């Protein structure tokens, strides 16, 4: 689960991690009201107006409605004009940004609507660095990755100058040790106060990552100020779904407006669903088989409309819910149900499909491939239902049949 | 012969909720030697299992079975009383990592964890705990391990399997069934089928299984089924190129998966440009693995690999 930058910074600040002062705003007036307290508290006449969306690349992103406005804007009007000038500039920006569509390299061409802004104090930056905490699957431990190339995408650094990436594995029995944090701070070229602050920052960040069960914390850039403070200028946090149950405060930060409504509905039914751009809807049991079903549709020349795993213990109701989610997508020109019943019985699937079709109707072709537990009973239920469907012998046969029917 | 488990393996079950009880019954019907259960608040009781024998399992049994399974307070107690060497974990996610560590503390040879949804942080700790233990963990989030007609530990349907010549190792449950069924239908059969699970932190990996199959005299070939995410398949490909003496076929799911989206399994995600199906397929092919172009061709790919090695 992803959260916004301002929420990540709230969580960080509560755990002793240095972040700039800032205030979230959902209206123009709130944005303007944030300016004076920030300038007075920080003593810095510069403020920054940042779009809050669940995607990166905001600084270089532009608004569809206002192509001259970036996703993140540094407001310098206060340097010469004082607080009132800064407020006027923030008002003008907030009016354009709120409710408009921001397109960045990560949003896709359709972009994302900006519903919230984060107004932050200006920072006098001496250096921009990179720091993240994530799982290294090869060693089954979290690692800290750090780099002097702040502000650049880490994938680019990894590909072009891999020697510039520092790594420290975190032993779960001990946590991040002092000498490891010091090694990172030294590797980043920090000295004096900045070194001390860097060590503190790295230790606090790794502690927070483990405590909060994040699957990624990325600070890019991590900045060193002209006074030697080390702080998170940006902050990205995402959380491991399996551990959310023990973090109710984090769960409350979920922003449903940032998620695909069909995916949200699916998760309410405990279905694993991902919307794709194709025309053939899929309903499958098991994640691996669901992926393989998408692959085989593509292999025979079609395009899958979704990934959908109904899971191992699906009931007829769950199957019916899945069927409705698929048929709601206007792009779907046909549906392929592919089941290898193990624990999931074929008759359960058949009953769910029949009841869903009775309820919502069936306006597109349907191909069903059933194999495994109670396959004969499942086929009989489908036959006797009088549904207009086509049976398939195996996955490839099914994929070819649904493709022909949708052409 | 087989790997990990066979007809003499005595098994205890940790977690006797609805799922654990249901699959314990299926395992007993198949002929697995279930010898005890662990449930602290029900210690001293017995759980009765009876029903119709699953004749696709261990041969030479009566048509009906009845087992009174003793329930113990702890894994250590169950091991002391029964001499079990394997356990299967159905404990719910918040407590499953602890159950794995308890099993390792009791020095079981193998712990097979079926539970899906264990927090990664918990598994990182459990894996650290296992580092200096002899216990082998399979899973979590896996269908289990089966040596056909000898021992079934997990949630896979028994009847699709048949004793044979191929070792199966897979990150995905239902895709394993697909592969197994094709190997049953084309007559190759299976020695042992191992689901290693779809989580980013798991116990046994592809290389562990390949090494076991390489050393197992009965296994003549191996099929490995991978998916997007991580680099386990690439590492396995390197190991195969350097060490494998037997033909290997493979399949990788997720050719069409978009980057940054978790495809059901916690471990199946393309992130930072790493873990794509194309990379994995290329690595396997370079190691001489016959890669099935579609999941319908997994059995055929294995046959082709066996023919090429003169073992068909």
């Amino acid at each position: 689960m992803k959260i916004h930058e301002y929420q990540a910074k709230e969580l960080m600040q509560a755990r002793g991690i240095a972040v700039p002062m800032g205030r979230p705003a959902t209206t123009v007036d709130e944005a303007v009201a944030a300016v004076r307290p920030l300038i007075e508290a920080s003593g810095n006449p510069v403020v920054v107006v940042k779009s809050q969306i669940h995607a990166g690349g905001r600084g270089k992103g532009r608004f569809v409605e206002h192509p001259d406005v970036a996703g993140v804007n540094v407001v310098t009007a206060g340097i010469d004009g004082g607080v009132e000038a800064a407020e006027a500039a923030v008002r003008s920006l907030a009016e354009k940004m709120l409710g408009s569509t921001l397109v960045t390299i990560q949003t896709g061409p359709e972009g994302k609507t900006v519903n919230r802004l984060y107004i932050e104090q200006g920072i006098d930056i001496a250096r921009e660095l990179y720091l993240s905490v994530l799982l290294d699957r090869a060693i089954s431990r979290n690692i800290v990755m750090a780099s002097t190339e702040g502000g650049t995408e880490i994938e680019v650094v990894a590909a072009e100058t891999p020697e510039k990436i520092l790594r420290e594995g975190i032993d779960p029995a001990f946590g991040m040790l002092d000498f490891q944090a010091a090694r990172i701070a030294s590797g980043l070229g920090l000295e004096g106060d900045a070194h001390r602050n860097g060590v503190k920052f790295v230790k606090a960040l790794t502690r927070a990552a483990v405590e909060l069960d994040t699957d990624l914390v990325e600070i890019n850039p991590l900045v060193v100020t002209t006074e030697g403070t080390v702080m998170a200028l940006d902050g990205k946090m995402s959380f491991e779904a399996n551990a959310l149950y023990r973090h109710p405060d984090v769960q409350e930060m979920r922003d449903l407006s940032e998620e695909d409504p069909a995916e949200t509905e699916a998760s309410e039914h405990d279905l694993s669903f991902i919307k794709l751009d194709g025309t053939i809807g899929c309903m499958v049991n098991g994640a691996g088989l669901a992926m393989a079903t998408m692959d085989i549709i593509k292999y025979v020349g079609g395009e899958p409309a979704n990934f959908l795993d109904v899971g191992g213990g699906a009931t007829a109701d769950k199957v019916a819910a899945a069927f409705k989610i698929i048929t709601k997508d206007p792009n779907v020109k046909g549906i392929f149900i592919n089941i290898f019943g193990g624990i999931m019985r074929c008759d359960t699937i058949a009953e769910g499909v029949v009841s869903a079709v009775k309820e919502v109707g069936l306006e597109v072709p349907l191909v069903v491939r059933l194999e495994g537990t109670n396959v004969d009973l499942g086929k009989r239920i489908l036959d006797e239902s009088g549904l207009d469907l086509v049976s398939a012998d195996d996955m490839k046969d099914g994929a070819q049949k649904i493709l022909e029917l949708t052409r | 012969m087989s790997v990990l488990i066979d007809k003499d393996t005595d098994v205890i079950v940790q977690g006797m909720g609805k799922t654990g009880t249901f699959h314990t019954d299926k395992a007993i019907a198949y002929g697995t030697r279930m010898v005890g259960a662990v449930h602290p608040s029900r210690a001293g009781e017995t759980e009765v299992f009876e029903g119709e024998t699953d004749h696709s399992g261990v041969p030479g049994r009566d048509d009906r079975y009845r087992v009174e399974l003793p329930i113990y307070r702890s894994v250590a107690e169950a091991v002391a009383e029964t001499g079990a060497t394997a356990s299967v974990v159905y404990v719910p996610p918040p407590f499953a990592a602890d159950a794995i560590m308890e099993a390792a503390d009791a020095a079981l040879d193998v712990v097979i964890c079926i539970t899906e949804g264990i927090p990664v942080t918990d598994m990182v700790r459990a894996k650290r705990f296992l580092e200096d233990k002899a216990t082998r963990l399979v899973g979590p989030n896996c269908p289990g391990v089966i040596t056909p007609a000898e021992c079934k530990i997990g949630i896979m349907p028994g009847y699709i399997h048949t004793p044979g010549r191929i070792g199966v190792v897979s990150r995905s449950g239902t895709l394993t069934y697909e592969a197994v069924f094709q190997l049953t239908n084309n007559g190759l059969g299976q020695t042992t089928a191992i689901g290693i699970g779809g989580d980013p932190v798991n116990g046994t990996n592809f290389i562990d299984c390949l090494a076991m199959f390489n050393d197992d005299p009965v296994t003549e070939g191996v099929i490995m089924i991978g998916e997007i995410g991580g680099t386990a398949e690439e590492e396995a490909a390197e190991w195969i190129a350097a060490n494998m003496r037997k033909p290997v076929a493979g399949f990788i799911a997720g050719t069409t998966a978009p980057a940054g989206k978790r495809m059901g399994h916690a471990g199946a995600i393309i992130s930072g440009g790493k873990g794509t199906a194309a990379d994995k397929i290329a690595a396997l092919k370079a190691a001489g693995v016959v890669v099935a172009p579609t999941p319908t061709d997994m059995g055929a790919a294995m046959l082709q690999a066996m023919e090429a090695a003169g073992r068909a």
Side-chain angles (χ1 to χ4, degrees):
Chain A
M1 187 194 100
K2 291 179 182 171
I3 59 173
H4 292 293
E5 173 198 1
Y6 78 92
Q7 296 168 319
K9 285 179 169 171
E10 246 171 55
L11 292 170
M12 285 191 231
Q13 189 166 30
R15 284 160 185 79
I17 299 160
V19 297
M21 285 183 282
R23 294 185 171 207
T26 53
T27 65
V28 174
D29 287 342
E30 278 174 12
V32 173
V35 175
R36 181 175 293 276
L38 281 175
I39 289 178
E40 285 178 358
S42 68
N44 188 328
V46 177
V47 293
V48 186
V49 183
K50 305 172 99 170
S51 306
Q52 299 293 294
I53 56 170
H54 287 187
R58 292 170 298 165
K60 292 190 180 119
R62 292 291 182 273
F63 286 90
V64 174
E65 297 85 350
H66 307 281
D68 56 325
V69 179
V72 174
N73 300 283
V74 178
V75 176
T76 54
I79 297 176
D80 294 329
V83 173
E84 287 75 17
E87 284 175 337
V90 168
R91 178 175 297 280
S92 155
L93 277 169
E95 279 169 353
K96 289 177 185 157
M97 292 165 79
L98 279 171
S100 298
T101 313
L102 181 60
V103 177
T104 79
I105 48 166
Q106 288 184 16
T107 61
E110 70 279 10
K112 281 194 166 183
T113 308
V114 173
N115 297 314
R116 289 160 208 247
L117 300 174
Y118 192 47
I119 320 298
E120 218 171 47
Q121 70 169 107
I123 299 289
D124 296 318
I125 299 169
R127 292 183 64 205
E128 296 198 4
L129 309 168
Y130 172 95
L131 193 66
S132 61
V133 186
L134 73 168
L135 179 73
D136 182 347
R137 293 164 60 147
I139 58 169
S140 296
R141 288 182 181 184
N142 282 311
I143 58 164
V144 170
M145 282 210 309
S147 158
T148 52
E149 308 302 293
T152 316
E153 271 188 77
I154 195 70
E155 288 85 2
V156 176
V157 182
E160 290 170 6
T161 48
E163 72 282 358
K164 288 195 172 166
I165 297 180
L166 311 167
R167 284 166 217 266
E168 289 287 342
I170 306 168
D171 185 325
F174 305 112
M176 168 67 49
L177 296 164
D178 289 349
F179 78 87
Q180 292 182 293
R183 193 151 61 195
I184 291 170
S186 303
L188 292 173
L190 301 179
E191 290 170 353
D193 278 352
H195 191 276
R196 250 188 314 282
N197 290 331
V199 168
K200 188 166 163 252
F201 190 99
V202 169
K203 290 191 70 178
L205 192 73
T206 50
R207 239 189 338 262
V210 174
E211 181 205 325
L212 290 167
D213 287 295
T214 59
D215 55 23
L216 174 70
V217 183
E218 190 174 53
I219 312 295
N220 191 18
L222 170 76
V223 297
V224 184
T225 67
T226 46
E227 286 111 41
T229 306
V230 174
M231 58 164 60
L233 196 65
D234 195 3
K236 186 157 107 185
M237 261 192 198
S238 67
F239 299 86
E240 202 234 327
N242 290 343
L244 275 176
Y245 73 89
R246 52 190 177 203
H247 304 291
D249 52 330
V250 172
Q251 279 181 54
E252 275 176 26
M253 294 181 162
R254 184 169 176 190
D255 182 357
L256 289 176
S257 70
E258 290 282 334
E259 297 174 24
D260 183 275
E263 290 179 18
T264 306
E265 188 185 347
S267 73
E268 278 162 17
H269 292 281
D270 203 19
L271 297 162
S272 182
F273 175 88
I274 291 165
K275 168 98 181 67
L276 301 166
D277 298 331
T279 57
I280 297 174
C282 316
M283 182 159 95
V284 189
N285 67 323
L289 194 61
M291 258 190 283
T293 304
M294 289 160 43
D295 296 345
I296 207 163
I297 287 169
K298 181 105 176 176
Y299 183 84
V300 300
E303 288 289 343
N306 64 275
F307 165 95
L308 200 167
D309 170 15
V310 293
T315 58
D317 285 349
K318 207 164 137 180
V319 170
F323 196 82
K324 285 182 220 164
I325 289 167
I326 296 174
T327 50
K328 229 183 248 178
D329 178 354
N331 293 334
V332 167
K333 303 277 182 285
I335 299 171
F336 178 26
I337 296 178
N338 181 24
I339 301 296
F340 201 116
I343 299 321
M344 160 64 85
R345 292 162 14 200
C346 292
D347 52 320
T348 304
I349 289 278
E351 278 168 13
V353 171
V354 171
S355 82
V357 172
K358 272 189 187 143
E359 200 183 317
V360 297
L362 180 63
E363 284 158 18
V364 294
L366 173 65
V367 172
V368 181
R369 180 270 181 143
L370 290 180
E371 193 62 74
T373 307
N374 291 2
V375 57
D376 296 332
L377 186 56
K379 285 182 174 165
R380 194 160 74 226
I381 290 169
L382 291 178
D383 285 347
E384 289 171 359
S385 72
L387 284 190
D388 184 17
L389 60 84
V390 177
S391 293
D393 298 328
D394 60 33
M395 284 175 78
K396 200 188 276 175
D397 182 47
Q400 278 159 348
K401 279 180 172 155
I402 192 64
L403 190 66
E404 281 160 27
L405 289 168
T406 52
R407 267 189 179 142
Chain B
M1 276 292 285
S2 55
V3 305
L4 288 173
I5 57 172
D6 60 25
K7 63 184 187 339
D8 300 318
T9 306
D10 286 337
V11 186
I12 57 167
V13 54
Q14 296 173 256
M16 284 288 277
K18 199 171 147 226
T19 311
T21 306
F22 177 84
H23 292 294
T24 299
D25 184 59
K26 298 280 177 211
I28 292 170
Y30 192 82
T32 303
R33 291 166 53 133
M34 298 302 304
V35 296
V38 178
H39 195 302
S41 60
R42 290 180 58 200
E45 298 175 23
T46 55
E47 178 91 19
V48 177
F49 294 93
E50 54 189 329
E52 279 180 33
T53 298
D54 173 359
H55 282 299
S56 72
V58 177
R61 291 173 302 144
D62 295 343
D63 287 343
R64 290 192 63 80
Y65 63 89
R66 181 186 157 82
V67 170
E68 290 184 17
L69 201 68
I71 300 177
Y72 299 98
R73 191 174 315 279
S74 65
V75 177
E77 189 182 297
V79 169
E81 294 292 325
T82 65
T85 57
S87 98
V88 56
V89 176
Y90 293 104
V91 171
F95 318 106
D98 191 68
I100 292 168
M101 293 189 270
E102 186 188 354
D105 182 65
L108 286 166
D109 292 342
V110 56
V111 179
I112 297 165
C113 183
I114 309 301
T115 307
E116 176 178 0
I118 304 177
V120 170
T121 310
D122 295 7
M123 278 312 301
V124 167
R125 278 157 46 87
K127 189 113 194 219
R128 170 72 168 84
F129 185 84
L130 288 169
E131 264 175 23
D132 59 351
K133 308 281 187 297
T135 302
R136 171 174 291 289
L137 169 67
V138 179
N141 188 14
C142 77
V145 181
I146 182 170
T147 294
E150 295 193 28
C151 183
K152 167 175 130 72
I153 302 181
I155 60 175
M156 66 294 277
Y159 77 95
I160 60 173
H161 300 80
T162 195
R165 302 153 66 192
I166 305 299
V168 181
V169 54
S170 170
R171 271 170 76 180
S172 147
T174 38
L175 264 183
T176 317
Y177 308 162
E178 195 80 46
V180 159
F181 199 52
Q182 290 172 27
L183 293 172
T184 292
N185 289 340
N186 72 11
L188 285 172
Q190 308 89 34
T191 52
T192 300
I194 308 169
I196 59 173
D199 278 3
V201 175
N202 61 5
T204 299
N205 63 23
F206 279 120
I207 295 175
D208 298 327
C209 296
L210 289 163
M212 285 189 276
F213 286 131
N214 212 18
D215 293 338
D216 174 39
V218 179
T219 299
E220 295 179 38
V222 179
I223 185 159
M224 62 172 275
I225 299 143
E227 60 190 26
I228 54 160
T231 53
E233 289 82 0
E234 287 86 335
E235 287 149 26
E238 268 182 45
W239 191 92
I240 289 168
N243 302 289
M244 199 70 191
R245 301 181 301 271
K246 298 173 182 180
V248 181
F251 175 72
I252 302 292
T255 307
T256 53
K261 293 274 189 181
R262 166 183 154 161
M263 306 305 276
H265 287 159
I269 182 165
I270 298 169
S271 52
K274 284 261 175 76
T276 67
D279 287 350
K280 292 171 188 296
I281 291 168
L284 288 173
K285 283 187 173 167
V289 174
V290 179
V291 180
T294 82
T296 305
D297 304 307
M298 291 189 287
M302 191 70 246
L303 259 184
Q304 193 191 323
M306 294 291 274
E307 276 162 11
R311 293 188 189 232

